[in-house]
């Protein structure tokens, strides 16, 4: 069963991507998942969405560091290939790219995960800050081919105020 997000969001999947059952991806805490229709050597690139209300003192970099440590518990040779703060003071965000090796199915694979952390205010309670994490996981060979779709997806994510059609 999907884990609810701390604040409602709206988004649009890239063309061709298919909604998936988060529990099928072995990704605890995931609120939404989608898979690319063309697997690479048996591995389907996927987009996942999760979120939390972090402690007030936690920075986006702190949360990104936590993600790296969590991934190290299930994957090998996890490396941060890049990290960048983006967005504005009103809408801060952070991106990071992780490279690692993991067993998916019964095959060891070299994978790349691009993560985007978005800091959003709860529209119902502006004092409450939520962080939404969007992640693209793909084989090293397919990552760059699906990265544009993921970037398009990220651009559509916004708070869901329930007032838009």
């Amino acid at each position: 069963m999907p884990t609810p997000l701390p604040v409602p969001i709206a988004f649009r999947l890239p063309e061709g991507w298919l909604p998936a059952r988060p529990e099928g991806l072995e990704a605890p805490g995931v609120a939404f998942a989608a898979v690319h229709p063309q697997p690479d050597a048996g591995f389907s690139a996927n987009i996942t969405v999760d979120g939390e209300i972090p402690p007030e003192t936690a920075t986006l970099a702190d949360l990104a560091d936590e993600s790296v440590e969590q991934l190290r518990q299930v994957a090998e040779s996890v490396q941060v290939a890049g990290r960048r703060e983006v967005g504005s003071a009103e809408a801060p965000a952070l991106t990071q790219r992780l490279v690692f090796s993991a067993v998916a199915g019964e095959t060891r694979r070299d994978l790349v995960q691009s993560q985007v952390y978005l800091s959003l205010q709860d529209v119902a309670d502006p004092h409450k800050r939520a962080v939404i994490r969007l992640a693209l996981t793909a084989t090293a060979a397919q990552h760059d081919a699906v990265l544009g779709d993921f970037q398009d997806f990220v651009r559509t994510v916004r708070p869901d105020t329930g007032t838009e059609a």
Side-chain angles (χ1 to χ4, degrees):
M1 178 162 206
T3 302
L5 291 172
V7 294
I9 63 169
F11 55 82
R12 196 170 53 253
L13 275 179
E15 188 172 329
W17 286 73
L18 307 168
R21 298 177 62 163
E23 58 273 14
L25 295 174
E26 299 177 21
V30 169
F32 178 81
V35 294
H36 191 269
Q38 298 171 336
D40 175 43
F43 183 86
S44 295
N46 59 79
I47 293 172
T48 57
V49 178
D50 62 62
E52 65 180 299
I53 303 288
E56 285 185 34
T57 58
T59 66
L60 293 178
D62 292 338
L63 299 175
D65 288 341
E66 283 180 27
S67 289
V68 171
E69 291 310 311
Q70 288 172 352
L71 188 57
R72 284 188 174 134
Q73 294 175 15
V74 296
E76 296 177 6
S77 60
V78 178
Q79 296 179 330
V80 178
R83 183 181 284 179
R84 193 170 60 142
E85 291 189 23
V86 294
S88 63
E90 298 79 34
L94 180 140
T95 65
Q96 78 175 356
R97 183 179 293 201
L98 308 175
V99 294
F100 58 98
S101 178
V103 174
E106 294 184 11
T107 305
R108 178 159 308 285
R109 301 177 189 281
D110 292 328
L111 301 174
V112 178
Q113 187 173 84
S114 290
Q115 300 176 337
V116 176
Y117 293 81
L118 303 174
S119 182
L120 302 173
Q121 282 187 322
D122 186 336
V123 292
D125 181 0
H127 298 2
K128 186 164 58 169
R129 175 181 74 110
V131 174
I132 303 299
R133 180 177 62 169
L134 314 168
L136 166 69
T137 306
T139 62
Q142 189 181 33
H143 182 269
D144 290 349
V146 295
L147 182 59
D149 284 352
F150 179 63
Q151 291 167 333
D152 290 344
F153 169 75
V154 170
R155 283 191 278 278
T156 71
V157 175
R158 65 189 183 287
D160 186 358
T161 60
T163 59
E164 298 176 19

